[in-house]
Coordinates of all heavy atoms in Angstrom, one line a residue:
A223 N 93.7 106.2 70.3 CA 94.4 106.7 71.4 C 93.6 107.7 72.3 O 92.8 108.4 71.7 CB 95.8 107.3 71.0
K224 N 93.9 107.8 73.5 CA 93.3 108.8 74.4 C 93.7 110.2 74.0 O 92.9 111.1 74.3 CB 93.6 108.5 75.9 CG 92.9 107.3 76.4 CD 93.0 107.2 77.9 CE 92.2 106.1 78.5 NZ 92.3 106.0 80.0
A225 N 94.8 110.4 73.4 CA 95.3 111.7 73.0 C 96.1 111.5 71.7 O 96.8 110.5 71.6 CB 96.0 112.4 74.1
T226 N 96.0 112.5 70.8 CA 96.8 112.5 69.6 C 97.6 113.8 69.5 O 97.2 114.8 70.2 CB 95.9 112.3 68.3 OG1 95.1 113.5 68.3 CG2 95.1 111.1 68.3
F227 N 98.6 113.8 68.7 CA 99.4 115.0 68.7 C 98.6 116.2 68.0 O 98.8 117.3 68.4 CB 100.7 114.8 67.9 CG 101.6 113.8 68.6 CD1 102.0 112.6 67.9 CD2 102.0 113.9 69.9 CE1 102.8 111.7 68.5 CE2 102.8 113.0 70.5 CZ 103.2 111.9 69.8
S228 N 97.8 115.9 67.1 CA 97.0 116.9 66.5 C 96.0 117.5 67.5 O 95.7 118.7 67.5 CB 96.2 116.4 65.2 OG 95.3 115.4 65.6
F229 N 95.4 116.6 68.3 CA 94.5 117.1 69.4 C 95.3 118.0 70.4 O 94.8 119.0 70.8 CB 94.0 115.9 70.2 CG 93.4 116.2 71.5 CD1 92.1 116.8 71.6 CD2 94.0 115.8 72.7 CE1 91.6 117.1 72.8 CE2 93.5 116.1 73.9 CZ 92.2 116.7 74.0
L230 N 96.5 117.6 70.7 CA 97.3 118.4 71.6 C 97.6 119.8 71.0 O 97.6 120.8 71.7 CB 98.6 117.7 72.0 CG 98.4 116.4 72.8 CD1 99.8 115.8 73.1 CD2 97.7 116.7 74.1
D231 N 97.9 119.8 69.7 CA 98.1 121.1 69.0 C 96.9 122.0 69.1 O 97.0 123.2 69.4 CB 98.4 120.8 67.5 CG 99.8 120.3 67.2 OD1 100.7 120.5 68.1 OD2 100.0 119.6 66.2
D232 N 95.7 121.4 68.8 CA 94.5 122.2 68.9 C 94.2 122.7 70.3 O 93.8 123.9 70.6 CB 93.3 121.4 68.5 CG 93.3 121.1 67.0 OD1 94.0 121.8 66.2 OD2 92.6 120.1 66.5
L233 N 94.5 121.8 71.3 CA 94.3 122.2 72.7 C 95.2 123.3 73.2 O 94.7 124.3 73.8 CB 94.4 121.0 73.6 CG 94.2 121.2 75.1 CD1 92.8 121.6 75.4 CD2 94.6 119.9 75.9
M234 N 96.4 123.2 72.8 CA 97.4 124.3 73.2 C 97.1 125.6 72.5 O 97.3 126.7 73.2 CB 98.8 123.8 72.9 CG 99.3 122.7 73.8 SD 101.1 122.3 73.6 CE 101.1 121.4 72.1
K235 N 96.5 125.6 71.3 CA 96.1 126.8 70.7 C 94.9 127.4 71.5 O 94.8 128.6 71.7 CB 95.7 126.6 69.3 CG 96.8 126.4 68.3 CD 96.4 126.1 66.9 CE 97.5 125.8 66.0 NZ 97.1 125.4 64.6
K236 N 94.0 126.6 71.9 CA 92.8 127.1 72.7 C 93.2 127.7 74.0 O 92.7 128.7 74.4 CB 91.8 125.9 72.9 CG 91.1 125.5 71.6 CD 90.3 124.2 71.8 CE 89.2 124.3 72.8 NZ 88.4 123.1 72.9
I237 N 94.1 127.0 74.7 CA 94.4 127.5 76.1 C 95.4 128.7 76.1 O 95.6 129.3 77.1 CB 95.0 126.3 77.0 CG1 96.3 125.8 76.4 CG2 93.9 125.2 77.1 CD1 96.8 124.7 77.3
E238 N 95.9 129.0 74.9 CA 96.7 130.2 74.8 C 95.8 131.5 75.1 O 96.3 132.5 75.5 CB 97.3 130.4 73.4 CG 98.5 129.5 73.2 CD 99.0 129.7 71.7 OE1 98.4 130.4 71.0 OE2 100.0 129.0 71.4
K239 N 94.5 131.3 74.9 CA 93.5 132.4 75.2 C 93.3 132.7 76.7 O 92.8 133.7 77.0 CB 92.2 132.1 74.5 CG 92.2 131.9 73.0 CD 90.8 131.5 72.5 CE 90.8 131.2 71.0 NZ 89.5 130.7 70.6
S240 N 93.7 131.7 77.5 CA 93.4 131.8 78.9 C 94.3 132.8 79.6 O 95.5 133.0 79.2 CB 93.6 130.4 79.6 OG 93.4 130.5 81.0
N241 N 93.8 133.5 80.6 CA 94.6 134.4 81.4 C 95.4 133.7 82.5 O 96.1 134.4 83.3 CB 93.7 135.5 82.0 CG 92.7 134.9 83.1 OD1 92.1 133.9 82.8 ND2 92.6 135.5 84.2
Q242 N 95.3 132.4 82.5 CA 96.0 131.6 83.5 C 97.0 130.7 82.9 O 96.9 130.3 81.7 CB 95.0 130.8 84.4 CG 94.0 131.7 85.1 CD 94.6 132.5 86.2 OE1 95.7 132.3 86.7 NE2 93.9 133.6 86.5
N243 N 98.0 130.3 83.6 CA 99.0 129.2 83.2 C 98.3 127.9 83.6 O 98.0 127.7 84.8 CB 100.3 129.4 83.9 CG 101.0 130.7 83.4 OD1 101.0 131.0 82.2 ND2 101.7 131.3 84.3
L244 N 98.2 127.0 82.7 CA 97.5 125.7 82.9 C 98.5 124.6 82.9 O 99.4 124.5 82.1 CB 96.4 125.5 81.9 CG 95.1 126.3 82.1 CD1 95.2 127.7 81.6 CD2 94.0 125.6 81.3
A245 N 98.2 123.6 83.9 CA 98.9 122.3 83.8 C 98.1 121.5 82.8 O 96.9 121.8 82.5 CB 98.9 121.7 85.2
I246 N 98.7 120.5 82.3 CA 98.1 119.6 81.3 C 98.0 118.2 81.9 O 99.0 117.6 82.4 CB 98.8 119.6 80.0 CG1 98.7 121.0 79.3 CG2 98.2 118.5 79.0 CD1 99.3 121.1 78.0
A247 N 96.8 117.6 81.8 CA 96.6 116.2 82.4 C 96.5 115.2 81.3 O 95.8 115.4 80.3 CB 95.3 116.2 83.2
F248 N 97.3 114.1 81.4 CA 97.3 113.0 80.5 C 96.7 111.8 81.2 O 96.8 111.6 82.4 CB 98.7 112.7 80.0 CG 99.2 113.8 79.1 CD1 100.3 114.5 79.5 CD2 98.7 114.1 77.9 CE1 100.9 115.5 78.7 CE2 99.2 115.1 77.1 CZ 100.3 115.8 77.5
A249 N 96.1 110.9 80.4 CA 95.5 109.7 80.9 C 96.4 108.5 80.7 O 97.0 108.3 79.6 CB 94.2 109.4 80.3
T250 N 96.6 107.7 81.7 CA 97.3 106.4 81.6 C 96.3 105.3 81.2 O 95.1 105.6 81.0 CB 97.9 106.0 83.0 OG1 96.8 105.8 83.9 CG2 98.8 107.1 83.5
G251 N 96.8 104.1 80.9 CA 95.9 103.0 80.6 C 95.3 103.2 79.2 O 95.8 104.0 78.4
G252 N 94.1 102.6 79.0 CA 93.5 102.7 77.7 C 92.2 101.9 77.6 O 91.5 101.8 78.6
F253 N 91.8 101.4 76.4 CA 90.6 100.7 76.2 C 90.8 99.5 75.4 O 91.7 99.4 74.5 CB 89.5 101.6 75.6 CG 89.0 102.7 76.4 CD1 89.6 104.0 76.4 CD2 88.0 102.6 77.3 CE1 89.2 105.0 77.2 CE2 87.5 103.6 78.1 CZ 88.1 104.8 78.1
K254 N 89.8 98.5 75.5 CA 89.7 97.4 74.7 C 88.4 97.4 73.9 O 87.4 97.5 74.6 CB 89.9 96.1 75.5 CG 89.7 94.8 74.6 CD 90.0 93.6 75.4 CE 88.8 93.3 76.4 NZ 88.9 92.0 77.0
W255 N 88.5 97.4 72.6 CA 87.2 97.4 71.8 C 87.0 96.0 71.2 O 87.9 95.3 70.7 CB 87.4 98.4 70.6 CG 87.3 99.8 71.0 CD1 86.1 100.6 71.0 CD2 88.3 100.7 71.4 NE1 86.4 101.9 71.4 CE2 87.7 102.0 71.7 CE3 89.7 100.5 71.7 CZ2 88.5 103.1 72.1 CZ3 90.4 101.6 72.1 CH2 89.8 102.9 72.3
V256 N 85.7 95.6 71.3 CA 85.3 94.3 70.8 C 84.5 94.5 69.5 O 83.7 95.5 69.5 CB 84.6 93.4 71.8 CG1 84.3 92.0 71.3 CG2 85.3 93.4 73.1
N257 N 84.6 93.7 68.6 CA 83.9 93.9 67.3 C 82.4 94.2 67.4 O 81.8 95.0 66.7 CB 84.0 92.7 66.4 CG 85.0 92.9 65.3 OD1 85.6 94.0 65.2 ND2 85.2 91.9 64.4
Q258 N 81.7 93.6 68.4 CA 80.3 93.8 68.5 C 79.9 95.1 69.3 O 78.8 95.3 69.6 CB 79.7 92.6 69.3 CG 79.7 91.3 68.4 CD 78.9 90.2 69.1 OE1 78.6 90.3 70.3 NE2 78.6 89.2 68.3
G259 N 80.9 95.9 69.5 CA 80.6 97.3 70.1 C 80.9 97.4 71.5 O 80.9 98.6 72.1
K260 N 81.2 96.4 72.3 CA 81.5 96.5 73.7 C 82.9 97.2 73.9 O 83.9 96.7 73.3 CB 81.5 95.2 74.4 CG 81.6 95.3 75.9 CD 81.5 93.9 76.6 CE 81.7 94.0 78.1 NZ 81.6 92.6 78.7
T261 N 83.0 98.2 74.8 CA 84.3 98.8 75.1 C 84.6 98.7 76.6 O 83.7 99.0 77.4 CB 84.2 100.3 74.7 OG1 83.8 100.4 73.3 CG2 85.5 101.0 74.8
V262 N 85.8 98.3 76.9 CA 86.2 98.1 78.3 C 87.4 98.9 78.6 O 88.4 98.9 77.8 CB 86.5 96.6 78.5 CG1 86.9 96.3 80.0 CG2 85.3 95.7 78.1
A263 N 87.4 99.6 79.7 CA 88.6 100.3 80.2 C 89.6 99.3 80.7 O 89.3 98.3 81.2 CB 88.2 101.3 81.3
I264 N 90.9 99.7 80.4 CA 91.9 98.7 80.8 C 93.2 99.5 81.3 O 93.5 100.6 80.8 CB 92.3 97.9 79.5 CG1 93.1 96.7 79.8 CG2 92.9 98.7 78.4 CD1 93.2 95.7 78.7
T265 N 93.8 98.9 82.3 CA 95.0 99.6 82.8 C 96.2 99.2 81.9 O 96.2 98.2 81.1 CB 95.3 99.2 84.3 OG1 95.6 97.8 84.3 CG2 94.1 99.5 85.1
E266 N 97.4 99.8 82.2 CA 98.6 99.5 81.4 C 99.0 98.0 81.7 O 99.4 97.3 80.8 CB 99.7 100.4 81.8 CG 101.0 100.2 81.1 CD 102.2 101.0 81.6 OE1 102.0 101.8 82.5 OE2 103.3 100.8 81.1
I267 N 99.0 97.7 83.0 CA 99.4 96.3 83.4 C 98.4 95.3 82.7 O 98.9 94.2 82.2 CB 99.4 96.1 84.9 CG1 100.6 96.8 85.5 CG2 99.3 94.7 85.3 CD1 100.7 96.7 87.0
E268 N 97.1 95.5 82.8 CA 96.2 94.6 82.1 C 96.4 94.5 80.6 O 96.3 93.4 80.1 CB 94.7 95.1 82.4 CG 94.3 94.9 83.8 CD 93.0 95.6 84.1 OE1 92.6 96.5 83.4 OE2 92.3 95.3 85.1
A269 N 96.8 95.6 80.0 CA 97.0 95.6 78.6 C 98.3 94.7 78.3 O 98.3 93.9 77.3 CB 97.2 97.0 78.0
E270 N 99.3 94.9 79.1 CA 100.6 94.2 78.9 C 100.4 92.7 79.1 O 101.0 91.9 78.4 CB 101.7 94.8 79.8 CG 102.1 96.2 79.4 CD 103.0 96.3 78.2 OE1 103.4 95.3 77.6 OE2 103.2 97.5 77.7
E271 N 99.6 92.4 80.1 CA 99.3 91.0 80.4 C 98.6 90.3 79.3 O 98.8 89.2 78.9 CB 98.6 90.8 81.8 CG 99.4 91.1 83.0 CD 98.6 91.1 84.3 OE1 97.3 91.2 84.2 OE2 99.2 91.1 85.4
L272 N 97.6 91.1 78.7 CA 96.8 90.6 77.6 C 97.7 90.4 76.4 O 97.5 89.4 75.6 CB 95.7 91.5 77.3 CG 94.5 91.0 76.5 CD1 93.9 89.8 77.0 CD2 93.4 92.1 76.4
L273 N 98.6 91.3 76.2 CA 99.6 91.2 75.1 C 100.4 89.9 75.2 O 100.6 89.2 74.2 CB 100.5 92.5 75.1 CG 101.6 92.5 74.0 CD1 100.9 92.7 72.6 CD2 102.5 93.7 74.3
T274 N 100.9 89.6 76.4 CA 101.7 88.4 76.6 C 100.8 87.2 76.4 O 101.3 86.2 75.7 CB 102.3 88.4 78.0 OG1 103.1 89.6 78.1 CG2 103.1 87.2 78.2
K275 N 99.7 87.2 77.0 CA 98.8 86.0 76.9 C 98.4 85.7 75.5 O 98.3 84.5 75.1 CB 97.5 86.3 77.8 CG 96.5 85.1 77.8 CD 95.3 85.5 78.6 CE 94.3 84.4 78.6 NZ 93.1 84.7 79.4
T276 N 98.1 86.7 74.7 CA 97.6 86.4 73.3 C 98.7 86.3 72.3 O 98.5 85.9 71.2 CB 96.6 87.6 72.9 OG1 97.3 88.8 72.9 CG2 95.4 87.6 73.8
Q277 N 99.9 86.7 72.8 CA 101.1 86.7 71.9 C 100.9 87.6 70.6 O 101.3 87.3 69.5 CB 101.5 85.3 71.4 CG 101.9 84.4 72.6 CD 102.3 83.0 72.2 OE1 101.9 82.5 71.1 NE2 103.1 82.3 72.9
A278 N 100.1 88.6 70.9 CA 99.9 89.6 69.8 C 101.1 90.4 69.5 O 102.1 90.4 70.3 CB 98.7 90.5 70.2
V279 N 101.1 91.2 68.5 CA 102.2 92.0 68.1 C 102.0 93.5 68.5 O 101.0 94.1 68.1 CB 102.5 92.0 66.6 CG1 103.7 92.9 66.2 CG2 102.8 90.6 66.1
K280 N 102.8 94.0 69.4 CA 102.6 95.4 69.9 C 103.1 96.4 68.8 O 104.2 96.2 68.3 CB 103.4 95.6 71.2 CG 103.3 96.9 71.8 CD 104.0 97.0 73.1 CE 104.0 98.3 73.8 NZ 104.7 98.3 75.1
Q281 N 102.3 97.3 68.5 CA 102.7 98.3 67.5 C 102.6 99.7 68.2 O 102.0 99.9 69.2 CB 101.7 98.3 66.3 CG 101.8 96.9 65.6 CD 100.9 96.8 64.4 OE1 101.2 97.4 63.4 NE2 99.8 96.1 64.6
R282 N 103.2 100.7 67.5 CA 103.2 102.1 68.0 C 102.6 103.0 66.9 O 103.0 103.1 65.8 CB 104.7 102.5 68.2 CG 104.9 103.9 68.8 CD 104.6 103.9 70.3 NE 105.3 102.9 71.1 CZ 105.1 102.7 72.4 NH1 104.2 103.4 73.0 NH2 105.8 101.7 73.0
D283 N 101.6 103.8 67.4 CA 100.9 104.7 66.5 C 101.7 106.0 66.3 O 102.0 106.7 67.3 CB 99.5 105.0 67.0 CG 98.7 106.0 66.2 OD1 98.7 105.8 64.9 OD2 98.1 106.9 66.7
R284 N 102.0 106.4 65.1 CA 102.8 107.6 64.9 C 102.0 108.9 65.2 O 102.6 109.9 65.6 CB 103.3 107.6 63.4 CG 104.3 106.5 63.1 CD 104.8 106.6 61.7 NE 105.6 107.9 61.5 CZ 106.1 108.3 60.3 NH1 106.0 107.5 59.2 NH2 106.7 109.4 60.2
A285 N 100.7 108.8 65.0 CA 99.9 110.0 65.2 C 99.7 110.4 66.7 O 99.2 111.5 67.0 CB 98.6 109.9 64.5
S286 N 100.0 109.4 67.6 CA 99.7 109.6 69.0 C 100.8 109.1 69.9 O 100.9 109.5 71.1 CB 98.4 108.9 69.4 OG 98.6 107.5 69.2
G287 N 101.7 108.2 69.4 CA 102.6 107.6 70.3 C 102.1 106.5 71.1 O 102.8 105.8 71.9
A288 N 100.8 106.2 71.0 CA 100.1 105.1 71.8 C 100.5 103.8 71.3 O 100.8 103.6 70.1 CB 98.6 105.3 71.8
A289 N 100.5 102.8 72.2 CA 100.7 101.4 71.9 C 99.4 100.8 71.5 O 98.3 101.1 72.1 CB 101.3 100.7 73.1
Y290 N 99.4 99.8 70.6 CA 98.1 99.1 70.2 C 98.4 97.7 69.7 O 99.5 97.4 69.2 CB 97.3 99.9 69.2 CG 97.9 100.0 67.8 CD1 97.4 99.2 66.8 CD2 98.9 101.0 67.5 CE1 98.0 99.2 65.5 CE2 99.4 101.0 66.2 CZ 98.9 100.2 65.3 OH 99.5 100.3 64.0
F291 N 97.4 96.8 69.8 CA 97.6 95.5 69.2 C 96.1 94.9 69.1 O 95.2 95.5 69.7 CB 98.4 94.6 70.1 CG 97.9 94.4 71.5 CD1 97.1 93.3 71.8 CD2 98.3 95.2 72.5 CE1 96.6 93.1 73.1 CE2 97.8 95.0 73.8 CZ 97.0 93.9 74.1
S292 N 96.0 93.9 68.3 CA 94.7 93.2 68.2 C 94.9 91.7 68.2 O 96.0 91.2 68.0 CB 94.1 93.6 66.8 OG 94.9 93.3 65.7
Y293 N 93.8 91.0 68.5 CA 93.9 89.5 68.6 C 92.5 89.0 68.4 O 91.5 89.7 68.5 CB 94.5 89.1 69.9 CG 93.6 89.4 71.1 CD1 92.7 88.5 71.6 CD2 93.8 90.7 71.7 CE1 91.9 88.8 72.7 CE2 93.0 91.0 72.8 CZ 92.1 90.1 73.3 OH 91.3 90.4 74.4
L294 N 92.4 87.7 68.1 CA 91.1 87.0 68.0 C 90.9 86.1 69.2 O 91.9 85.4 69.6 CB 91.1 86.1 66.7 CG 91.2 86.9 65.4 CD1 91.3 85.9 64.2 CD2 90.1 87.9 65.2

Side-chain angles (χ1 to χ4, degrees):
K224 286 190 175 183
T226 63
F227 298 125
S228 61
F229 164 75
L230 294 178
D231 286 336
D232 291 341
L233 181 62
M234 287 187 287
K235 286 179 183 177
K236 287 170 66 176
I237 63 179
E238 282 177 1
K239 300 175 184 177
S240 179
N241 66 314
Q242 301 293 337
N243 295 320
L244 281 76
I246 294 184
F248 293 114
T250 62
F253 291 94
K254 178 177 70 171
W255 284 266
V256 186
N257 256 2
Q258 290 186 345
K260 185 179 179 182
T261 305
V262 180
I264 193 168
T265 67
E266 180 188 0
I267 286 180
E268 289 170 340
E270 294 285 351
E271 288 175 347
L272 197 53
L273 178 67
T274 301
K275 180 181 177 181
T276 61
Q277 297 184 334
V279 178
K280 182 177 180 178
Q281 300 182 72
R282 184 77 53 186
D283 178 47
R284 293 183 63 182
S286 65
Y290 70 97
F291 61 91
S292 60
Y293 64 94
L294 298 177

